[in-house]
Amino acid sequence: MDLNAFGHAVQSSSFGVWAGGEAYPFANLVHILGLIMLVGGIGILDLRLAGLFRRLPAAPLASALTPIALAGLLLMIPSGVTMFAADASALIHSTTFRTKLLLIALALANAAAFRFLWHARIEQWDADPPAWGRLMAAASLLLWLSVASLGRWIAYS
C-alpha cells in the first residue's frame, strides 16, 4: 500500500472520522497534558543531569520525575494516533510531521541508551557526573523540545 492510500484509508476509516470530529478536541487536550508531563518531568531531570541544580540529588529526582514523564508519554501515544487519524491524508506527506517522528525515535533511543548506560550508576552522579551522560541529558532536552516545537509547527506548514 502506498502512502497516499494508507493516509486515505486511515482518515476515511470509522476511527479517522471519529477522530476528526468529536474526539479531536479531547485528544488535543490530552496530548498537551502529556507533553507538559513529559517535557516538564524529563526536562527538569535533564537539566539536573546536564549540570544545573547540583544541590538536588540526582537519584531521588530521577525516581520522582521519570514516572511522570513516562505517564505523559503514555498519554501522548494514543492522543497522537488519534490526531494523526483525523488528518492522515495531509500529515503523511508533511515534512514537519515526518521530522517530528524521526526526532521522537531519536529521543526514545537516547532515553533507552541513557537508562542502559547510566541508570545503575545514578547514585554516583552527584559526585562525578560522566561527560557522556551529561551530553545525553542535554540531547534529550533538546530532542524533546524540538519534538514539541515541530508538533506546534505542523499546523503552520
Side-chain angles (χ1 to χ4, degrees):
M1 178 182 293
D2 69 21
L3 286 179
N4 286 329
F6 175 74
H8 180 71
V10 170
Q11 190 170 334
S12 62
S13 70
S14 57
F15 177 69
V17 171
W18 173 77
E22 61 194 45
Y24 195 88
F26 180 72
N28 196 17
L29 287 173
V30 170
H31 206 68
I32 291 169
L33 174 61
L35 176 66
I36 291 165
M37 293 170 67
L38 173 66
V39 175
I42 210 64
I44 291 169
L45 181 57
D46 284 340
L47 287 170
R48 167 58 189 94
L49 297 177
L52 275 70
F53 317 123
R54 302 244 3 216
R55 285 193 230 172
L56 298 173
L61 194 62
S63 293
L65 295 178
T66 300
I68 294 169
L70 286 173
L73 182 62
L74 291 175
L75 287 174
M76 291 181 76
I77 292 169
S79 61
V81 168
T82 302
M83 291 190 305
F84 170 77
D87 198 22
S89 294
L91 289 175
I92 205 82
H93 298 291
S94 168
T95 302
T96 305
F97 178 72
R98 288 181 182 189
T99 303
K100 178 184 174 184
L101 292 181
L102 173 65
L103 292 183
I104 289 170
L106 289 173
L108 291 173
N110 183 59
F114 187 91
R115 183 136 182 108
F116 177 75
L117 293 170
W118 308 113
H119 180 70
R121 296 183 271 175
I122 199 80
E123 297 281 341
Q124 302 164 1
W125 204 280
D126 297 329
D128 187 27
W132 274 106
R134 293 175 69 185
L135 183 62
M136 290 174 78
S140 171
L141 182 60
L142 180 63
L143 284 166
W144 287 119
L145 289 174
S146 296
V147 166
S149 297
L150 288 171
R152 294 303 310 141
W153 191 255
I154 287 170
Y156 305 102
S157 62

